[in-house]
Amino acid sequence: MAQLWGGRFTKETEDSVFSFNESLSFDKRLFYKDIEGSIAHVVMLEKQKIITLEEKDAIVKGLTSIQEDVDKGNLEFSSEYEDVHSFVEAKLIERIGDAGKKMHTGRSRNDQVALDMRLYVREEVAATDDLLYDLLKVIYRVMSENIETYMPGFTHLQKAQPVTIAHHFGAYFEMFKRDRSRLQDIYKRMNFCPLGAGALAGTTYPLDREYVSSMLGFEGATLNSMDSVSDRDYCIEFLSALSTIMMHLSRFSEEIIIWNSNEYRFIEIDDAYSTGSSIMPQKKNPDIAELVRGKTGRVYGALMSLLTTMKGIPLAYNKDMQEDKEVTFDAIDTVKDCLSLFTGMIDTMKFRPDVMAKSAMMGFTNATDAADYLVKKGVPFRDAHGIIGRLVLYCIDKNCSIEDLSLEELKSISEVFEADLYDAITLKTCVEKRLTKGAPGPKQMEEVLKIHEKYLKDRNVLFQSYLKEE
Ligand code: ARG
């Protein structure tokens, strides 16, 4: 055990206490952010004449060498340290001696961890956005290739009215686009620098907090030091946005599972994204979609976990907050994996337009259009609804579709029917006539696709500086 706080203690920590308390096993993920934050801190300390130029240079060199050694695999996060911050400081002092002991001047681990976590989450917000962008591009491609690929639209999982693949996928385009805008909101709100808040009440050193903030790409320094060290809202907001992304992915997965089933056969998931059964040779299972649906639970769990952790914490920092990390990291990993696998699965799956069109023609998906036909001939809608209802009942009895009935049969139910009914209720007409904004009609769809194309032109500029340079 190597600790930062031996002075006032007369006994060694119990091993079990140490391992219960430690966070290095998971906060080592913050290592690069810790180095980045510490460099910014000491550069500012030197600018403010709190440490000398030589001390600053020695610290920066030491931190850089620690980073290089970790990169090369020459330095391990050995379990004797409590957390990543103690690890880095101990290694620095080992390497450069007394100058290393000055790195922590005017800083506490409370504002240090608040900074590291913010830097980490900020980057992950941008990385998640990037994966959403990739998914949207694939959805856009599927949409533009399937403006006239008909399929049944459902309500209550009962066939309702015909739509197209473009229109159905377009619904998910809207969802994931909203997810991106949620990430942008979070990013804007969280992009303030907590460093300089100290343990909770700032510091008596003449720190230049705005300078550190701009070095680290923040909008500005936070305004209340107690809030700065105890704010985890951005983690909660991110977990909430991640939960919503998972909810969308889960709904989409559910549809893919249904479409891929033997009963529907609307799509075929590519072999590379399917799995077999150990006993039933005929099986090709949609495991990826099922796992995405299943993993939604653990992301919701992370959100509930952190909300609950935070609910009873008095100001300012309390160790409870260390619990922010594992759940946030796990949710980030889960969502990123799900997004990239899901994108691959959608990109490679095949549609069966013939099966979809056949299905769309059955189940009276043109019944509303038949009623609308009567309305256009002067029948009030409520009466038309009743007439078509009787017609459907007649068809169910005969086991046929509306368009299979002869004109005589139609006229026996209502005199208003003429031969032009047949054209008015084909699959093509049913879709083509739906031209209100947001409807599946191909002309309308093309308008929407133009908007999407423009939207997809650039990956979001707001995040660009935080994405790793290729
Ligand atoms: N490992 C700690 C955490 O993640 C770092 C902050 C420790 N601060 C303290 N006062 N013990 O929250």
Side-chain angles (χ1 to χ4, degrees), residues 153-155 158-163 360-377 379-392 402-403 417 421 424-427 429-431 433-434 440:
F154 298 83
T155 63
Q158 317 247 33
K159 282 181 205 174
Q161 291 170 347
V163 294
M361 279 189 306
M362 287 165 11
F364 306 103
T365 58
N366 53 5
T368 317
D369 294 79
D372 289 344
Y373 167 88
L374 292 174
V375 171
K376 279 172 204 147
K377 303 249 171 189
V379 182
F381 180 77
R382 194 47 60 209
D383 294 341
H385 188 282
I387 294 168
I388 302 300
R390 288 202 295 284
L391 202 62
V392 167
I402 300 175
E403 58 274 25
F417 287 119
L421 168 79
I425 61 168
T426 64
L427 200 50
T429 327
C430 287
V431 174
K433 279 189 313 197
R434 293 193 145 69

Side-chain angles (χ1 to χ4, degrees), residues 431-463:
V431 174
E432 251 170 24
K433 279 189 313 197
R434 293 193 145 69
L435 286 171
T436 42
K437 192 169 186 179
K443 283 217 179 71
Q444 178 50 227
M445 213 65 241
E446 269 156 22
E447 291 305 310
V448 170
L449 279 166
K450 269 188 228 151
I451 295 170
H452 291 351
E453 192 189 347
K454 215 165 134 201
Y455 168 79
L456 290 173
K457 216 157 227 142
D458 289 312
R459 283 184 190 263
N460 203 308
V461 277
L462 189 61
F463 298 117

Side-chain angles (χ1 to χ4, degrees), residues 101-116:
K101 295 182 184 164
K102 297 202 173 179
M103 173 173 71
H104 211 51
T105 314
R107 188 175 71 168
S108 152
R109 274 188 299 161
N110 298 352
D111 58 345
Q112 188 177 359
V113 75
L115 172 69
D116 292 3

Side-chain angles (χ1 to χ4, degrees), residues 222-238:
T222 50
L223 288 181
N224 182 291
S225 58
M226 292 178 87
D227 178 54
S228 307
V229 291
S230 68
D231 169 27
R232 296 295 181 275
D233 289 5
Y234 61 96
C235 295
I236 291 171
E237 286 190 42
F238 189 32

Side-chain angles (χ1 to χ4, degrees), residues 227-346:
D227 178 54
S228 307
V229 291
S230 68
D231 169 27
R232 296 295 181 275
D233 289 5
Y234 61 96
C235 295
I236 291 171
E237 286 190 42
F238 189 32
L239 289 174
S240 165
L242 292 177
S243 296
T244 307
I245 293 171
M246 287 306 289
M247 181 267 288
H248 293 152
L249 285 177
S250 184
R251 291 182 69 181
F252 210 164
S253 294
E254 172 71 9
E255 304 221 73
I256 285 165
I257 293 162
I258 294 172
W259 295 345
N260 187 64
S261 68
N262 297 335
E263 316 307 317
Y264 276 74
R265 296 181 59 255
F266 281 9
I267 57 158
E268 190 174 347
I269 299 176
D270 194 76
D271 277 3
Y273 286 87
S274 312
T275 43
S277 155
S278 61
I279 173 167
M280 296 165 282
Q282 83 281 14
K283 285 267 204 152
K284 211 176 115 180
N285 295 329
D287 284 25
I288 299 307
E290 289 171 17
L291 271 173
V292 169
R293 188 178 59 184
K295 282 176 190 290
T296 304
R298 76 197 262 174
V299 178
Y300 292 1
L303 172 63
M304 287 307 130
S305 169
L306 189 54
L307 277 170
T308 312
T309 295
M310 293 303 294
K311 76 178 259 301
I313 303 185
L315 287 173
Y317 177 85
N318 295 261
K319 190 75 172 211
D320 317 40
M321 287 170 191
Q322 182 167 286
E323 287 293 306
D324 62 352
K325 289 173 199 63
E326 285 161 290
V327 288
T328 305
F329 295 160
D330 184 74
I332 291 170
D333 293 348
T334 304
V335 175
K336 282 167 79 183
D337 277 356
C338 288
L339 276 171
S340 66
L341 279 163
F342 193 89
T343 301
M345 180 176 68
I346 299 280

Side-chain angles (χ1 to χ4, degrees), residues 118 122 125 181-192 219 237 460 462-463:
R118 247 179 228 243
R122 186 178 71 178
V125 167
S181 78
R182 257 184 285 279
L183 294 177
Q184 289 175 12
D185 290 346
I186 295 168
Y187 172 88
K188 277 190 212 149
R189 215 172 0 261
M190 73 173 288
N191 198 24
F192 292 89
E219 179 83 25
E237 286 190 42
N460 203 308
L462 189 61
F463 298 117

